[in-house]
Amino acid sequence: MQGLLAWVPLLPLIGFLTLVAFPLFNRHEPSQRTVACIGVGSIGIAALFTAIVAISVFWKNPSEIVNIALWQWMLVDNLELGFNFYIDWLTLVMLMVITGVGFLIHLYSVGYMREDADFRRYFAYLNLFVCAMLILVMADNLVLLYLGWEGVGLCSYLLIGFWYKEPANGAAAQKAFIVTRIGDTAMAIGLFLLFYEFSTLNIPQLTAAIDGPDINNEVVTVACLLLLGGAVGKSAQLPLQTWLPDAMAGPTPVSALIHAATMVTAGVYLIARMHPLYLLSETAMTTVAFVGALTLLLAGFSAIAQSDIKRVLAYSTISQIGYMFLALGVGAWSGAIFHLITHAFFKALLFLSAGSVILSLHHEQNIFSMGGLYRKIPLTFICFTIGCACLAALPFTSGFYSKDHILLSAWEFHQGINILWLAGILGALVTGIYSFRVLFLVFLGREGSASSHCNDANTPVMTIPLCILALLAMIGGLLAPPLQAVFGSRPDEDHSAWIEGVAIAMPLIGLAIAWKLFIYQKKSGEKRSSIMQFWFSGWGFDWLYEHLLVKPFKSLAKINHNDIIDNLYKGTAALSRQLNALLSSSQNGQVRWYLATFAVGSVLFLALLVAL
Amino acid sequence: MPIETAPGLEAGVLLASILFCLGLAGLMMRRNVIFMLMSVEICTNAAALMFVVAGAHWGNADGQVMFIFVVTLAAAEVAIALALVLQFYHRKHTVDIDQLNELRG
């Protein structure tokens, strides 16, 4: 049974290779049906295998750990790395999310991409992504994890720029790749540092090694902060969050899979996986918490001001991952993972519903052109409403349970009112406002300019995943995974009722504010107040980076257009060429000239001898 | 030990120098290979004269022995050089040394 787990990442890889190699064996482009069977089938079987193993091996035993050693990868001096998988409940949860939600999104993509000429390329990339993501979560050493980490980055780049004929999409893809690369570099340095300190990069060995007596806490702190750098880049947290809103240039199911459910939560997974290390360093923990708190507020306010339906969701993703980082920072590891799961459900649901809206409106994404759509696409409306309710954490939805867990952990962390808890509560209010704002503007209220030519583009292959995700988003709150074996259990504390009350009330207040402000807002989103404009631009981070980094770099590049360093080598070459010309002109073949120089030289030499 | 009665050393050296310079100048200025060979003869004879003068100055017969050597050498050299000149003329139909400039950098 456990052996099936090795097939889980292999199947998407086989799917990818089959799709890529198709033209080698067949002159004709395969039919969409064939491509869909391979692309969706590989993930479907992977999901099935995961479920079988989950039920047969892990279900009864929460502390079960499966090790699968495939082969030795590299052996250099005392660095020994295997291509080995390490599966505990944390990994299993990630596996279920990736294969399960991934399968639903693949299925939805069959409908969403049906009119696209590059159907095969799309599914090839998507399968490769799932393979890389699975390697990331199953890796038993940090280098293998890094392989998956870079693999998902590559697929993210390829899929953001999927419609590469539009230059803006290519620019967005490059931005995502370069910005995450900054974090990845920090992470790589962190790995070197960990290896330097502990002489191993195997995760179980690392977590065992930190119990040792002579641990240099400063090195651990720096390593944790560097790993956090990688997580911040991948999970689009402050200050590397600017790539995610632009990443919405890719197809909508890609945004659902990569930029909401799985890849962007890899940072959360990394920190949760390395949590014994973080526990050693209070500085690192505090940094994680504050990064999360700041990000969730910044992104939340930005989401209020957006006019593109996908950018609203992108900022809300940043904000929700901010909640996960906040949970990680206060040591609520299982809370972070729980929110990761519920977020994967409801955010995938929201993105896929948004995809249905976009497709029904013939690729209109401006929410101010929409409105009153609930009559035309009722099923999408219901799904989107469920998603918004979960996002805003209305009571009894999945988002409520997980977010409540995080807020209570933040409260417990300092035993009272503290800045992290306040940030979380304020964030909950903001979340309520922006999630219902987009719901009201798109589905309720007056009809917008694009609403009139809306025809329902949902096909069964799209509605089925939507319904399953809606169900999961509703009941996901009951599916809290048994992660005590991984993270250790925490004692339950009693909280006074008002804390719970505040957590419940905040989204409702947000809903009321959104109703008051946006339900009948005029459809002229172009005029914004200055604060809204500031939020719309994502707190000016793009502007800041443009002027602080991009422009100086470009002008430097311009100055260095002819490669200043190269001049050194060019100069050397020119000098020797000049010398060569000089000397070879003396070799002119004239015997009498040789004789004359010989005579003059002899005279000079003799004169020198006499003079000395 | 030098023999005081020998004819003036300085005059001999001066004559040899002048001869050598004449030969050298001819060698550099003439383009005709035949004339250049003749100039070389003058140079070698200047050197040979120098041996004789020096031999006379030191009262030593070695200088004259060297002279015989130099003359022999000059004869051998002329034999080879004239053969070369013949070949040169045969190929180029000229005796202008400046035409032999193909071996240049």
Side-chain angles (χ1 to χ4, degrees):
Chain A
M1 277 304 162
Q2 299 174 355
L4 284 180
L5 280 174
W7 285 89
V8 171
L10 185 61
L11 281 165
L13 186 66
I14 293 173
F16 162 73
L17 291 175
T18 317
L19 288 172
V20 164
F22 222 98
L24 296 179
F25 309 112
N26 212 327
R27 204 176 302 161
H28 304 290
E29 187 71 7
S31 69
Q32 284 202 354
R33 180 175 290 271
T34 320
V35 172
C37 281
I38 298 170
V40 182
S42 62
I43 311 293
I45 298 171
L48 192 70
F49 283 3
T50 312
I52 290 172
V53 175
I55 291 168
S56 63
V57 180
F58 284 90
W59 196 254
K60 287 168 205 130
N61 185 4
S63 55
E64 177 77 38
I65 290 171
V66 174
N67 279 297
I68 299 174
L70 291 181
W71 62 80
Q72 190 177 57
W73 192 18
M74 47 179 103
L75 178 60
V76 185
D77 198 18
N78 61 341
L79 170 68
E80 187 182 358
L81 294 172
F83 214 95
N84 301 342
F85 294 145
Y86 172 89
I87 300 109
D88 58 4
W89 258 96
L90 172 60
T91 307
L92 185 75
V93 163
M94 293 300 288
L95 285 183
M96 288 194 281
V97 169
I98 295 162
T99 56
V101 177
F103 170 67
L104 294 174
I105 294 171
H106 273 70
L107 195 62
Y108 178 92
S109 298
V110 175
Y112 189 85
M113 300 298 284
R114 61 181 181 265
E115 277 157 19
D116 202 287
D118 283 324
F119 200 70
R120 182 171 61 87
R121 185 163 64 92
Y122 176 82
F123 275 98
Y125 288 167
L126 225 51
N127 273 8
L128 183 63
F129 168 78
V130 174
C131 171
M133 190 70 206
L134 289 170
I135 288 176
L136 194 165
V137 296
M138 292 171 81
D140 90 327
N141 60 67
L142 285 168
V143 179
L144 188 57
L145 186 147
Y146 198 74
L147 175 76
W149 190 271
E150 294 298 314
V152 292
L154 169 71
C155 294
S156 164
Y157 166 78
L158 291 171
L159 283 163
I160 294 168
F162 181 73
W163 288 313
Y164 57 87
K165 283 169 188 159
E166 192 72 43
N169 295 351
Q174 284 171 12
K175 185 175 177 186
F177 198 72
I178 293 166
V179 173
T180 49
R181 196 58 12 140
I182 297 168
D184 294 354
T185 310
M187 180 174 160
I189 298 169
L191 297 197
F192 302 148
L193 200 59
L194 280 178
F195 183 72
Y196 177 77
E197 184 68 14
F198 296 108
S199 307
T200 179
L201 285 172
N202 187 295
I203 295 168
Q205 284 176 17
L206 259 183
T207 46
I210 58 162
D211 289 333
D214 48 347
I215 295 300
N216 187 343
N217 261 25
E218 279 168 23
V219 174
V220 171
T221 303
V222 174
C224 283
L225 289 175
L226 286 166
L227 289 186
L228 173 66
V232 156
K234 201 55 112 191
S235 294
Q237 298 294 291
L238 212 68
L240 299 177
Q241 83 286 27
T242 54
W243 66 271
L244 189 58
D246 287 359
M248 295 297 117
T252 310
V254 170
S255 310
L257 178 63
I258 300 182
H259 305 123
T262 53
M263 185 192 85
V264 287
T265 56
V268 180
Y269 169 79
L270 176 71
I271 295 179
R273 177 51 86 203
M274 303 307 294
H275 73 276
L277 226 56
Y278 279 83
L279 282 173
L280 289 183
S281 163
E282 200 168 325
T283 321
M285 292 279 282
T286 318
T287 315
V288 173
F290 274 93
V291 163
L294 263 180
T295 309
L296 80 90
L297 284 177
L298 251 59
F301 282 111
S302 291
I304 295 180
Q306 299 305 310
S307 61
D308 183 320
I309 184 168
K310 284 184 72 183
R311 284 180 84 92
V312 178
L313 295 179
Y315 276 110
S316 82
T317 303
I318 300 175
S319 175
Q320 296 305 308
I321 297 172
Y323 270 109
M324 296 175 210
F325 271 69
L326 174 61
L328 294 171
V330 298
W333 314 107
S334 51
I337 297 300
F338 187 27
H339 197 55
L340 189 159
I341 301 164
T342 57
H343 176 256
F345 292 151
F346 66 71
K347 192 50 68 68
L349 173 68
L350 279 169
F351 263 114
L352 296 187
S353 312
S356 289
V357 172
I358 291 165
L359 208 58
S360 300
L361 291 175
H362 311 289
H363 293 277
E364 173 62 59
Q365 299 194 6
N366 189 341
I367 51 176
F368 292 105
S369 308
M370 303 172 187
L373 291 178
Y374 71 98
R375 265 176 262 119
K376 307 203 163 163
I377 38 177
L379 183 83
T380 311
F381 168 61
I382 293 166
C383 291
F384 202 88
T385 312
I386 292 171
C388 278
C390 296
L391 174 59
L394 292 191
F396 311 116
T397 59
S398 61
F400 170 72
Y401 293 105
S402 53
K403 201 178 278 183
D404 195 43
H405 191 148
I406 293 175
L407 290 175
L408 287 181
S409 306
W411 174 269
E412 277 170 26
F413 189 62
H414 286 296
Q415 297 295 335
I417 295 178
N418 62 74
I419 195 160
L420 293 175
W421 181 75
L422 284 176
I425 288 292
L426 184 58
L429 176 71
V430 173
T431 310
I433 298 175
Y434 70 67
S435 50
F436 286 106
R437 167 179 177 267
V438 68
L439 179 72
F440 294 158
L441 284 174
V442 171
F443 289 99
L444 304 175
R446 295 196 196 91
E447 291 204 354
S449 57
S451 305
S452 52
H453 45 82
C454 167
N455 25 19
D456 196 344
N458 284 330
T459 54
V461 83
M462 291 162 75
T463 49
I464 291 168
L466 277 178
C467 294
I468 297 174
L469 278 173
L471 186 71
L472 284 172
M474 286 302 284
I475 63 163
L478 309 173
L479 302 175
L483 291 171
Q484 299 85 356
V486 184
F487 297 124
S489 56
R490 293 152 61 91
D492 275 341
E493 293 182 26
D494 283 336
H495 304 283
S496 40
W498 71 271
I499 305 171
E500 296 271 8
V502 169
I504 294 172
M506 276 301 161
L508 294 172
I509 298 170
L511 173 88
I513 294 174
W515 179 276
K516 183 93 177 105
L517 285 180
F518 300 113
I519 184 93
Y520 289 124
Q521 192 191 26
K522 277 202 203 132
K523 304 292 180 190
S524 58
E526 300 315 314
K527 269 181 277 167
R528 297 188 193 89
S529 59
S530 54
I531 183 77
M532 284 297 249
Q533 183 61 40
F534 182 57
W535 288 345
F536 178 76
S537 66
W539 296 69
F541 271 98
D542 272 327
W543 181 88
L544 185 69
Y545 291 162
E546 177 78 23
H547 285 81
L548 209 64
L549 300 169
V550 178
K551 282 204 173 151
F553 183 78
K554 277 186 177 166
S555 52
L556 266 180
K558 206 171 222 170
I559 293 168
N560 199 19
H561 185 68
N562 289 324
D563 206 339
I564 292 163
I565 301 292
D566 222 29
N567 284 345
L568 192 65
Y569 305 103
K570 278 183 190 155
T572 313
L575 184 68
S576 42
R577 205 170 292 131
Q578 287 297 323
L579 278 174
N580 167 271
L582 192 71
L583 290 176
S584 68
S585 73
S586 73
Q587 297 288 314
N588 58 1
Q590 301 283 346
V591 178
R592 297 184 311 128
W593 164 257
Y594 296 160
L595 192 70
T597 50
F598 175 66
V600 170
S602 308
V603 169
L604 284 178
F605 185 65
L606 282 176
L608 207 63
L609 275 184
V610 172
L612 295 173
Chain B
M1 129 167 224
I3 298 163
E4 294 302 326
T5 53
L9 174 71
E10 276 146 25
V13 172
L14 195 65
L15 178 63
S17 305
I18 290 170
L19 265 181
F20 186 84
C21 287
L22 280 174
L24 194 65
L27 203 55
M28 287 192 285
M29 287 172 190
R30 286 287 180 171
R31 290 195 298 177
N32 191 319
V33 185
I34 310 285
F35 281 98
M36 287 178 76
L37 280 175
M38 290 162 72
S39 301
V40 169
E41 284 311 306
I42 293 172
C43 285
T44 46
N45 281 317
L49 178 62
M50 202 50 227
F51 276 115
V52 174
V53 169
H57 180 66
W58 295 106
N60 194 329
D62 288 357
Q64 291 171 42
V65 173
M66 283 306 291
F67 177 77
I68 304 291
F69 273 124
V70 170
V71 170
T72 321
L73 183 113
E77 175 237 311
V78 164
I80 294 168
L82 280 177
L84 286 173
V85 170
L86 270 177
Q87 276 299 316
F88 173 36
Y89 184 74
H90 189 67
R91 287 173 188 240
K92 293 273 181 178
H93 300 292
T94 177
V95 284
D96 185 353
I97 190 74
D98 284 356
Q99 302 299 314
L100 278 183
N101 61 354
E102 282 152 41
L103 200 68
R104 60 172 175 259

